[in-house]
Every structure is written in C-alpha cells, then in structure tokens.
Amino acid sequence: MKKWLWIFLIVFVLSVAACAPATIEKGSVLICPKYYEPGISVCREKTDASVVAGQDEQEYRAAFLQADEIGVYKSDAESYAVYQGMGFHPTPADYVRIYKRGTQKLMSDMSCNPEDETKCIGVLGNVSLKDQAKFSASYGIEYSINFATQEDLRELYEVGGFLPLMTEFNDYSRDTFRNSRDLDPKAWLDGTLTYDGVAANWLAKLQGDPHMTNWKYFNLFKFETVMVRYFEPDAAKQEEVSSGQASEDMEFDRFISRRDKFCSAYPAGSSYRLECERTFVCSEKDGACYFGGSVIPIEDLPTATPPAIESTPTVTP
C-alpha cells in the first residue's frame, strides 16, 4: 500500500474518533427538572457529553460518598432514607446530606486549623470555675451520630450536613464547658482534681446539662469519651477580654504567684504544702492564721519559719 494511502487512513480514523460522543464517568452527572423537588423529582443519568439538558431541565453533579460516609436524602415527600457505599448515587449532591458513620474524634488544640471545625478546633478559653476563676483548656471528644429513626434522618437532612451540625455542636458544647462553676480551682492547684476528673465532669455535662439537652439536635449524638489534654489558669491577653475580666484574671494570677512563692519550700502534694496553701488562703481574708500549730499574724507570714519537711520513709523491697 502506498505511503499516501496509509496517511489518508490514519487521518480518517482520527477524524471519526474525534466526532464520536465523549463518554463521562457513569452516574457522575444527572439531568433533572429545573425546579428540583427532593423526594418527588425524577432524574436521568447523562451518558455522554453530547446529551444536553432540555429547556425545563438542569444538570447536577450526582452525590458521591466515600466508603465511611452515609448520605441522608428525601426518598418521598414525607420520608427519608440513606445511601451507603463508595461511589455516585442517583440524587443531586445539593440534596444529599453527608455524614461520617462510626466513632468520630473532635480535638481542641492550639495547633488546630480554625477552618476545620468538624475535626479540630482551637483551645477553649474563659472557662469559669468556682469563685469566677478563669481557666483555659484543650480536650478531645469521641462521639457517634444516630441514624436510627425517621426523626433522626429528618433532623440530619434539615440541619444541612456535617459541617453545619458540628458548627452548632461546637458552639453549644464549648458554652457548656465554659460554665464549670462546680469545679474548684483550688482542688486543681492542690492536685485533688485531675485531668480525668475534669473529663468526667465534662462528659456528664455533655450528656445531661440543660444547655445541651435543650439543643434541637442533641438526640443526634451519642457521647462516648471526653479527654482533657490541657487545663490551666487562663493566660488570655488583656485585649481579648473585657477590662473587668482582665482585672479578675490578673488578680487571680497574682494570688497564685504569691501563694507558690510563699509555699515553695514544700513539695507539691505534701501535707505541709497543703497546710501552707490553706494558711495563705486564710491570710487573704483574716488577721491571723494557723501554720505549723501556731497562730501567725499576716505581717509575719512571709518571714515565718516553716516547720521541718516531713521525711519520706525508705521502703526496702
């Protein structure tokens, strides 16, 4: 066969291929009525690029799920159902609310990206403890979302998806944690309140505090664990709080500093350290306090000779 004939055949084949309808990923694009009604309108798949929507139709991207996701959609005018399984599903993405299934983790940490409010949020400040003491905290929450009833599905559909649900959850849960006036800062500072104690208190608040239980979407959550990772007196900058609160924070910090300086001779957790701290608290209110079995006037507290530190017995294995 002559060379020019080969060239002609190649050009002809390429031309025919270029004119063939371009295929698109199966199920990825839907053609639906222009005024789509969830649970009522019927869509059809767009099979190739040459298929165009009619005058009263509109193209939509089909809902796509990862393997660990559930899609909530309206199955008819009054009922809801779920899609499961990785891939495209026959409802427009705009009308499927996507959630993670199974146990989820939410972290609060200073390294968190503030834009990812479904997994990682910033440190919680301005936590109000007993006597208006202010602390900061970071924490983790393990939870799962309920899909059990039609009421669950309706609410999951109406709230609009994972991000808006978790944005509301973070607002409600952080306000609940901030109202921790049943926690005593002195107990934290003397070691009788621990990270686990704060975590147990906060888990109970998530499960039963009225601020949470009165939230419209409370029943969508099952709370499994709370872990407190950081819990210390608030070090918020003065410009980040009101002037009145800044004054309270500064006074609280000064109190802690004076107490720690006065009691620095005693190991943390020792009986004399606890007695010293109790004496110092007394000194803030009364004219004389007991320390080491003696009554000591306030003005003599900084120079009072402390009792000997208790010895730790040696235990032979």
Side-chain angles (χ1 to χ4, degrees):
M1 187 179 292
K2 294 183 178 180
K3 183 177 180 180
W4 65 267
L5 186 57
W6 276 111
I7 294 173
F8 172 78
L9 289 173
I10 291 172
V11 172
F12 176 77
V13 170
L14 292 175
S15 300
V16 171
C19 295
T23 59
I24 59 176
E25 189 173 1
K26 181 176 175 59
S28 63
V29 179
L30 303 174
I31 298 178
C32 307
K34 182 172 291 185
Y35 301 104
Y36 183 87
E37 295 185 60
I40 297 175
S41 297
V42 178
C43 302
R44 56 192 171 97
E45 289 184 10
K46 181 171 180 173
T47 54
D48 60 67
S50 65
V51 177
V52 297
Q55 183 176 358
D56 296 325
E57 294 178 319
Q58 180 176 344
E59 290 188 4
Y60 287 93
R61 184 74 174 170
F64 182 84
L65 299 181
Q66 300 290 346
D68 62 344
E69 292 178 332
I70 287 180
V72 180
Y73 69 100
K74 204 163 187 179
S75 57
D76 59 42
E78 297 180 354
S79 302
Y80 300 83
V82 298
Y83 289 128
Q84 298 185 62
M86 185 172 180
F88 291 102
H89 295 269
T91 298
D94 293 349
Y95 299 96
V96 176
R97 314 308 189 206
I98 297 176
Y99 298 89
K100 298 284 186 180
R101 57 181 175 179
T103 299
Q104 306 299 314
K105 294 182 179 180
L106 172 69
M107 297 303 299
S108 158
D109 192 83
M110 64 180 63
S111 64
C112 283
N113 180 350
E115 296 179 358
D116 188 1
E117 295 185 350
T118 65
K119 296 179 181 178
C120 202
I121 50 179
V123 169
L124 177 65
N126 205 30
V127 179
S128 295
L129 275 61
K130 185 179 179 181
D131 298 327
Q132 296 299 313
K134 301 294 182 179
F135 272 53
S136 290
S138 65
Y139 56 87
I141 300 173
E142 288 188 338
Y143 68 93
S144 56
I145 294 177
N146 295 321
F147 300 90
T149 68
Q150 276 291 305
E151 182 63 17
D152 293 337
L153 297 183
R154 183 187 66 78
E155 291 182 344
L156 288 168
Y157 188 86
E158 289 182 355
V159 74
F162 197 45
L163 178 57
L165 177 64
M166 293 309 297
T167 299
E168 280 204 38
F169 170 75
N170 289 332
D171 288 343
Y172 276 82
S173 60
R174 286 165 80 85
D175 285 346
T176 299
F177 292 162
R178 284 192 180 98
N179 185 16
S180 292
R181 293 181 175 86
D182 54 334
L183 296 177
D184 190 340
K186 298 183 183 66
W188 173 259
L189 296 168
D190 67 24
T192 57
L193 177 64
T194 64
Y195 286 110
D196 288 344
V198 177
N201 181 281
W202 283 3
L203 178 59
K205 281 181 166 60
L206 283 181
Q207 295 172 334
D209 187 274
H211 189 67
M212 289 300 304
T213 58
N214 291 333
W215 178 40
K216 180 178 181 180
Y217 301 113
F218 172 76
N219 290 326
L220 295 178
F221 287 83
K222 177 184 178 183
F223 302 109
E224 299 176 12
T225 60
V226 173
M227 177 184 68
V228 174
R229 307 174 66 242
Y230 170 84
F231 193 72
E232 294 295 340
D234 203 338
K237 296 179 181 179
Q238 184 169 347
E239 61 266 25
E240 294 176 349
V241 293
S242 67
S243 58
Q245 184 56 55
S247 177
E248 289 181 12
D249 289 346
M250 291 172 64
E251 178 55 36
F252 184 70
D253 290 342
R254 285 196 294 267
F255 169 82
I256 297 301
S257 178
R258 293 196 308 272
R259 187 209 64 183
D260 289 348
K261 182 178 180 181
F262 177 71
C263 298
S264 61
Y266 308 105
S270 68
S271 62
Y272 281 131
R273 177 63 177 248
L274 297 179
E275 182 177 6
C276 179
E277 291 177 352
R278 285 194 296 269
T279 301
F280 189 78
V281 171
C282 166
S283 76
E284 298 284 294
K285 301 176 181 178
D286 301 313
C289 305
Y290 283 92
F291 183 49
S294 303
V295 177
I296 301 176
I298 286 178
E299 58 270 17
D300 292 339
L301 274 172
T303 58
T305 301
I309 299 176
E310 61 205 274
S311 61
T312 303
T314 301
V315 178
T316 302

